[in-house]
Amino acid sequence: MHRLSHLIFGGALTVVAGALLLPKVGEGTVVVASLASLVGTTAPDTLEVRYWRGNASVTLLPHRTITHYPPLWLALFVAGVWLAWNISAPAGIALTGFSFGAFTHLLADMMTPMGIPIWHPYKHRKSLRIITSRWRNALVIAVACLSAVVASKDAFAAQGLAEEPPNRCVQGTECGWWFGYIDPLAQQEEEPEEEAPTLSAQPPEETKDPCRDKTTWTAKCGFVDPEGDFAFQAIQRDALFEQATMNPRDSKAVEALQYYHKWMLDQATLMTRMWEWNMIQNSDLNPAVSNAVTSFGLRAAALARDERRKTVFQDLQDQGAFLVWFTRPSCSYCGAMASVVQRVGRYAGLPVWDASLEDTCMPGFEDRCKTAPETIEPATLLGVKSVPDLFLHLPKDDVWVRVSSGMDAAQTILGRIDMFFSAIRSAAAKGIASTNGRPPVDFDERGLQAALVSAGVVQDQSE
């Protein structure tokens, strides 16, 4: 296999390995290890030190001997892992990735008729005899590239980068609510009063900061608030990402990209809050007002008819509802969210169960805890792809509603629960449009009785 083939084959396997490790080790580790791995894909041949003797190209070390000896690269791989854990994470990660790239080279050479040494660096080469022609060489590379594409797609979906609708339904359960309510007006900070300009005999000349102008801004300026200029933010995004990617050990370069990402998340958060605010102010934008949700809405209509004015949380307590929190004790985000989830449970008056995907419970949740493997199947059915993930369960209806995924504030989660079930009540009070061709339910005496019979809440008295 030639040098270019080794680069493509090794690069494809590096993408597969990076996609598998991305949810566990993070983007920075994967980028460093991947770059080192690409260098390592040709290392066994490069280390043979090729030079010219007369008109012939020869190598200082015999071809496919000590530099193609698997135990040597295995030792370097183990040393890299130890170095990453105990002394220097960047150096250890780079050495581990470099060794992995060399292993892809050895795997490719082992598929050729010449093979590689296994037990002794200068004797007894072993071969799988898979690549015996050019078309087989192309087929092996194509399979590796296809595997890289599939693994990359799955990794993006697992990280939540794939496009998903705001409402998600799990087979066998009912739809959950994916966003909550926070009053954006309450979050606005008071603008400082402008000071009166001071008069001077000679006003100083205003010097324009080159970092504030998109035509003179460079990556060395770091992130600058674009102040509503979309083109300016796009220029900063591309330049800062390139600078951080090409200089991953430069703390200033990485910090500048982090400032950009923080600004971008702040903008997205503000837009989400305004989105929710608009739905509250204009009921035409809220799909929950006119669409059937669950039998909880029917029960809410019956309670309203009997003038039983209870809060949403009291209604949930009456139904025996409880929170189920999918976690991993080894997850740092789960540890940071533990106190938030406990506050939500105390405020709502609902018990919180820790559904750990490992064999131990989260600290502070030992009294109500289930561990793996008992929790794996429920997590799969509910579509849990990352932790922490918080669900509200209504046992009477067997309804599961996702109320938080990832890091959230307690008020955000409580707002989601209140907004979701308040929307159900609103839909129940107005009448729920049927989706199966039947007349809509208007919740008068006959309509309500028909709805309860249809939902299986009561039996038909006419039978």
Side-chain angles (χ1 to χ4, degrees), residues 8 12-13 15-16 138-154:
I8 299 174
L13 295 188
V15 171
V16 173
L139 179 62
V140 168
I141 293 177
V143 171
C145 293
L146 180 61
S147 301
V149 172
V150 173
S152 299
K153 182 179 179 181
D154 292 342

Side-chain angles (χ1 to χ4, degrees), residues 24-46:
K24 298 181 179 180
V25 300
E27 297 178 1
T29 299
V30 170
V31 170
V32 173
S34 298
L35 293 176
S37 178
L38 290 177
V39 177
T41 56
T42 58
D45 286 345
T46 304

Side-chain angles (χ1 to χ4, degrees), residues 12-344:
L13 295 188
T14 298
V15 171
V16 173
L20 295 176
L21 293 175
L22 181 60
K24 298 181 179 180
V25 300
E27 297 178 1
T29 299
V30 170
V31 170
V32 173
S34 298
L35 293 176
S37 178
L38 290 177
V39 177
T41 56
T42 58
D45 286 345
T46 304
L47 293 176
E48 290 174 350
V49 188
R50 183 169 296 276
Y51 66 97
W52 289 92
R53 181 187 294 171
N55 294 327
S57 176
V58 297
T59 57
L60 183 62
L61 297 174
H63 187 46
R64 294 201 186 181
T65 54
I66 186 65
T67 61
H68 289 65
Y69 190 43
L72 172 64
W73 294 106
L74 179 60
L76 286 177
F77 185 87
V78 173
V81 174
W82 180 88
L83 184 63
W85 277 101
N86 296 280
I87 299 179
S88 172
I93 293 170
L95 182 58
T96 303
F98 181 76
S99 304
F100 177 82
F103 272 117
T104 66
H105 185 108
L106 301 186
L107 176 61
D109 281 351
M110 192 174 183
M111 289 188 283
T112 63
M114 187 175 181
I116 61 172
I118 299 297
W119 306 113
H120 191 282
Y122 295 97
K123 299 178 182 178
H124 309 300
R125 292 177 181 154
K126 299 294 182 181
S127 171
L128 299 177
R129 300 192 66 81
I130 295 176
I131 303 177
T132 57
S133 61
R134 289 186 177 180
W135 73 268
R136 285 196 175 190
N137 183 78
L139 179 62
V140 168
I141 293 177
V143 171
C145 293
L146 180 61
S147 301
V149 172
V150 173
S152 299
K153 182 179 179 181
D154 292 342
F156 274 101
Q159 288 295 100
L161 299 179
E163 294 184 0
E164 295 180 349
N167 293 334
R168 174 178 291 181
C169 301
V170 181
Q171 186 174 3
T173 63
E174 300 187 48
C175 293
W177 197 270
W178 275 84
F179 44 84
Y181 166 71
I182 296 179
D183 186 353
L185 300 180
Q187 301 288 329
Q188 292 181 353
E189 298 181 357
E190 296 183 0
E191 297 183 0
E193 297 182 359
E194 295 184 0
E195 296 181 1
T198 57
L199 299 177
S200 58
Q202 262 187 340
E205 292 185 7
E206 294 184 1
T207 57
K208 192 171 183 179
D209 186 356
C211 291
R212 294 284 178 180
D213 188 350
K214 65 182 177 183
T215 60
T216 56
W217 178 91
T218 64
K220 293 182 179 179
C221 296
F223 174 70
V224 177
D225 191 338
E227 298 179 352
D229 191 335
F230 185 83
F232 190 15
Q233 73 82 28
I235 294 172
Q236 295 189 66
R237 175 197 64 205
D238 296 340
L240 294 176
F241 184 77
E242 179 182 359
Q243 176 182 257
T245 303
M246 303 310 297
N247 304 278
R249 296 186 180 181
D250 186 345
S251 61
K252 294 296 183 181
V254 176
E255 181 183 58
L257 181 61
Q258 288 177 294
Y259 275 118
Y260 168 78
H261 277 282
K262 179 181 180 299
W263 171 85
M264 181 180 65
L265 291 174
D266 289 341
Q267 296 295 106
T269 301
L270 182 59
M271 183 187 70
T272 303
R273 292 172 179 173
M274 188 56 64
W275 184 293
E276 298 165 5
W277 178 258
N278 288 341
M279 283 203 308
I280 293 172
Q281 300 304 314
N282 184 358
S283 60
D284 292 338
L285 299 176
N286 191 341
V289 171
S290 57
N291 295 326
V293 184
T294 65
S295 56
F296 181 87
L298 297 175
R299 225 176 358 260
L303 294 177
R305 185 191 62 178
D306 296 337
E307 298 183 351
R308 294 177 59 187
R309 305 294 184 182
K310 295 185 178 181
T311 64
V312 168
F313 294 125
Q314 185 62 50
D315 290 341
L316 293 174
Q317 294 170 20
D318 292 344
Q319 292 194 67
F322 56 89
L323 296 165
V324 179
W325 191 35
F326 288 93
T327 63
R328 291 183 185 273
S330 60
C331 166
S332 60
Y333 298 107
C334 298
M337 276 291 293
S339 61
V340 174
V341 174
Q342 289 174 333
R343 284 201 302 273
V344 170

Side-chain angles (χ1 to χ4, degrees), residues 301-422:
L303 294 177
R305 185 191 62 178
D306 296 337
E307 298 183 351
R308 294 177 59 187
R309 305 294 184 182
K310 295 185 178 181
T311 64
V312 168
F313 294 125
Q314 185 62 50
D315 290 341
L316 293 174
Q317 294 170 20
D318 292 344
Q319 292 194 67
F322 56 89
L323 296 165
V324 179
W325 191 35
F326 288 93
T327 63
R328 291 183 185 273
S330 60
C331 166
S332 60
Y333 298 107
C334 298
M337 276 291 293
S339 61
V340 174
V341 174
Q342 289 174 333
R343 284 201 302 273
V344 170
R346 286 195 301 268
Y347 185 89
L350 302 176
V352 181
W353 281 85
D354 176 24
S356 174
L357 301 182
E358 297 178 354
D359 56 359
T360 57
C361 300
M362 289 291 296
F365 292 84
E366 292 83 356
D367 294 340
R368 291 189 179 97
C369 178
K370 298 290 184 181
T371 59
E374 187 177 358
T375 57
I376 300 301
E377 183 177 358
T380 303
L381 292 175
L382 291 173
V384 176
K385 294 184 178 180
S386 61
V387 292
D389 216 356
L390 183 63
F391 287 82
L392 175 64
H393 181 49
L394 305 178
K396 291 184 179 180
D397 295 324
D398 192 22
V399 174
W400 291 84
V401 181
R402 177 183 269 110
V403 295
S404 175
S405 183
M407 299 287 290
D408 279 316
Q411 289 301 323
T412 301
I413 300 173
L414 292 169
R416 286 176 184 156
I417 298 174
D418 180 51
M419 184 178 182
F420 178 64
F421 288 103
S422 296

